[in-house]
Each structure stands twice: as structure tokens, then as C-alpha cells.
Amino acid sequence: MAPASSLAKALPSIDAQWASLVDVLDAVDAPAYALLSTESGFPLKAHGYGVRDLVTAVRAAAGTFEARRAEIVVADDVATLELDSGTTQTVIAAISSRRGQHLLSVTAEGVSMPVLRAWTHHTATKFGALLDRP
């Protein structure tokens, strides 16, 4: 693992990438949620969730990702799982870096799965590069 000081240097870039994702989700004219967490289940960034819902959301994303491993698709070093429940679409992406594995879960209503998949994959790739910085 990299020292905490190197993570502190990457935080402004991580915050900017998160803000970009939130801007896209805010443009959706329906409920949208995003969550970035550590492999151990600690929520790092959240959008659309109440504080009391964070631990449950992190556990649900991690549990679903683990339980449905056979459905995971890997592209450009990002493993993703797509979930479709009527008009609600969710993409969970595993991000591996020198700082360990992180999960990015993005859920939106009324958004096409290809659009949600592309944006989640793009964001996960960016986070992976940022978290890999020395």
C-alpha cells in the first residue's frame, strides 16, 4: 500500500472525478445513486444515499458483486456487473489499484444500460488510474 501522504496528493483529482460523475447523475431526471467504497466495506464517496443507508448500501453492493461473480465482465482491467430491475439499472465496478480494490456502484432509473455501463466504466477507469498514482 502507498503511504497516506501520496493518497492525500491524489484526493483533489479523485474529488474532481467524483464531482464529474455527480454532475452526470444530477442531470438525470430520475433518482440516481453512486457509491465508492473500499474492499473492506468503508464508504469513501456517496451520492443520493442518506448517511444511515451507507453501510447497508456498501454491504449490498459487495455481496451482490461476490454472489454474481459468474456474470462479471472484465474490460480494460475493470470488472463490472450489470443489474437490471425494470426501469432501475445498476452497474457495479471493481477497481484494482496499488491501494487495493474498491467498488464503484452506480444506480439510475430510466437510463439505458449501455449509457450507464459506459459512464460507470469510464469513471472506474479514471479512479483506477488516480488510485494507482505513487
Side-chain angles (χ1 to χ4, degrees):
M1 289 256 168
S5 63
S6 68
L7 180 58
K9 290 177 187 174
L11 284 178
S13 298
I14 291 170
D15 288 344
Q17 186 60 47
W18 184 258
S20 177
L21 173 63
V22 168
D23 287 346
V24 170
L25 294 177
D26 283 344
V28 174
D29 193 24
Y33 307 87
L35 183 61
L36 178 65
S37 62
T38 64
E39 181 177 28
S40 63
F42 184 79
L44 298 173
K45 299 277 187 187
H47 173 74
Y49 292 99
V51 173
R52 294 179 185 183
D53 300 327
L54 290 178
V55 172
T56 302
V58 169
R59 287 181 182 160
T64 301
F65 195 82
E66 187 61 36
R68 297 180 73 172
R69 280 210 173 268
E71 300 170 47
I72 292 172
V73 175
V74 178
D76 302 322
D77 294 329
V78 176
T80 57
L81 173 65
E82 299 174 10
L83 307 165
D84 185 347
S85 177
T87 61
T88 303
Q89 315 296 330
T90 300
V91 178
I92 304 171
I95 305 163
S96 296
S97 74
R98 64 178 44 205
R99 290 183 176 83
Q101 186 164 329
H102 293 76
L103 284 181
L104 173 64
S105 176
V106 182
T107 301
E109 289 187 29
V111 175
S112 75
M113 182 57 86
V115 169
L116 191 63
R117 177 188 326 117
W119 191 252
T120 303
H121 185 272
H122 168 79
T123 303
T125 301
K126 294 286 188 179
F127 277 135
L130 293 170
L131 290 166
D132 251 348
R133 287 184 181 168

